[in-house]
């Protein structure tokens, strides 16, 4: 069918729940990965990063998991809050270029 | 540090006019990137510079688009002539290293009517 716009996957959660946002990448040469949060009307904001020699990294309320075998990343947000509502992008760096995925919209209900 | 600074925040122009978007990267960052965000295509890399030199401009849509970085603290993205399909949010980002941190500006929302 005709595409009228980028259809973002949406994840709806209740406040206090844990959120898991998934991302697949295609570039086998990528060795650095970043998760960004983008709120309406703002630029992407760095959340957490991970290098290819790791499979897990934790920050404050966030954890990133990397599975290089299947080229998959996930972002876990613990105790999700209304302020976490935004679009989340994974991005990978290969050959000096940061390339973004399509993004996931996270909706947090009070 | 004030972060990556873009101007203007909003630009409305008529089709056929020249548009210039500006970016001041974070001091000390050697890499500068221009991205375009649309509903149809998401975030696309247009061009990036390393030490003021354009490295990869394969994402620049066509000859109407040009970018320059005359010094380490300033870059411009120019569209001439502009068309309605150029309407988008244009982001500038800078990084200390291609494998470390990428900080984005607040973007310029361009509307071509």
């Amino acid at each position: 069918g005709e595409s009228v716009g980028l259809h973002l996957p949406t994840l709806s959660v209740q406040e206090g729940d844990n959120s898991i946002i998934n991302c697949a990448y295609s570039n086998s040469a990528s060795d650095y990965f970043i998760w960004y949060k983008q709120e309406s009307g703002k630029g992407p904001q760095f959340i957490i990063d991970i290098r290819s020699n790791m499979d897990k990294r934790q920050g404050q309320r966030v954890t990133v998991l990397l599975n290089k075998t299947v080229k998959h990343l996930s972002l876990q947000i613990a105790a999700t809050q209304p302020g976490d509502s935004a679009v989340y992008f994974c991005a990978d760096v290969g050959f000096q270029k940061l390339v973004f995925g399509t993004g996931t919209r996270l909706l947090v209900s009070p | 540090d004030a972060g990556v600074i873009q101007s203007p925040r909003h630009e409305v122009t008529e089709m056929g006019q020249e548009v210039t978007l500006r970016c001041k990267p974070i001091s000390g960052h050697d890499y500068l990137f221009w991205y375009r965000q649309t509903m149809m295509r998401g975030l696309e890399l247009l061009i990036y510079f390393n030490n003021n030199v354009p490295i990869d401009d394969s994402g620049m849509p066509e000859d109407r688009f040009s970018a320059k970085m005359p010094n380490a603290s300033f870059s411009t993205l120019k569209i001439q002539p502009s068309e309605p399909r150029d309407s988008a949010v244009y982001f500038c980002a800078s990084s200390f290293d291609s494998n470390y941190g990428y900080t984005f500006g607040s973007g310029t929302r361009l509307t071509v009517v």
Side-chain angles (χ1 to χ4, degrees):
Chain A
E2 181 180 2
S3 173
V4 295
L6 200 62
H7 177 66
L8 294 179
T10 299
L11 175 65
S12 297
V13 301
Q14 294 283 328
E15 181 178 359
D17 287 351
N18 296 331
S19 303
I20 300 177
I21 301 171
N22 296 304
C23 175
Y25 65 95
S26 59
N27 187 358
S28 300
S30 298
D31 55 9
Y32 178 49
F33 304 87
I34 310 173
W35 278 99
Y36 282 92
K37 172 185 181 182
Q38 187 176 25
E39 296 173 285
S40 181
K42 297 183 179 179
Q45 178 185 6
F46 174 94
I47 300 173
I48 190 168
D49 59 1
I50 189 168
R51 302 196 182 274
S52 58
N53 61 350
M54 305 171 68
D55 53 20
K56 180 179 180 179
R57 189 163 189 223
Q58 289 184 290
Q60 187 176 12
R61 286 202 304 119
V62 294
T63 300
V64 56
L65 300 178
L66 173 62
N67 185 330
K68 295 180 289 294
T69 302
V70 296
K71 298 179 190 172
H72 183 269
L73 279 166
S74 69
L75 176 71
Q76 301 177 3
I77 304 173
T80 313
Q81 302 168 359
D84 295 326
S85 294
V87 177
Y88 289 80
F89 294 94
C90 69
D92 65 276
V93 179
F95 308 117
Q96 294 189 335
K97 294 196 293 188
L98 183 67
V99 178
F100 282 84
T102 52
T104 296
R105 187 180 306 279
L106 177 65
L107 298 176
V108 183
S109 305
Chain B
D1 197 321
V4 176
I5 300 173
Q6 291 187 247
S7 64
R9 285 282 281 143
H10 302 275
E11 176 80 39
V12 180
T13 190
E14 292 186 345
M15 182 173 64
Q17 296 298 306
E18 177 181 294
V19 175
T20 300
L21 311 181
R22 297 173 174 79
C23 175
K24 175 177 167 48
I26 291 174
S27 177
H29 281 193
D30 293 333
Y31 288 82
L32 184 140
F33 305 81
W34 282 101
Y35 285 84
R36 177 173 67 176
Q37 187 173 36
T38 62
M39 288 296 294
M40 289 294 294
R41 302 172 70 91
L43 271 161
E44 303 173 275
L45 176 64
L46 300 178
I47 184 172
Y48 79 94
F49 297 81
N50 180 22
N51 292 322
N52 312 337
V53 176
I55 303 300
D56 186 344
D57 65 354
S58 60
M60 295 286 262
E62 49 199 271
D63 291 345
R64 297 185 297 106
F65 285 69
S66 62
K68 294 182 180 179
M69 192 164 185
N71 57 63
S73 59
F74 184 65
S75 177
T76 59
L77 178 67
K78 185 176 292 186
I79 308 172
Q80 166 63 22
S82 59
E83 297 182 2
R85 61 191 167 123
D86 301 330
S87 297
V89 181
Y90 291 82
F91 288 103
C92 176
S94 70
S95 69
F96 174 75
D97 182 272
S98 62
N99 276 317
Y100 182 79
Y102 285 72
T103 303
F104 281 76
S106 298
T108 294
R109 180 175 294 278
L110 173 65
T111 303
V112 183
V113 297

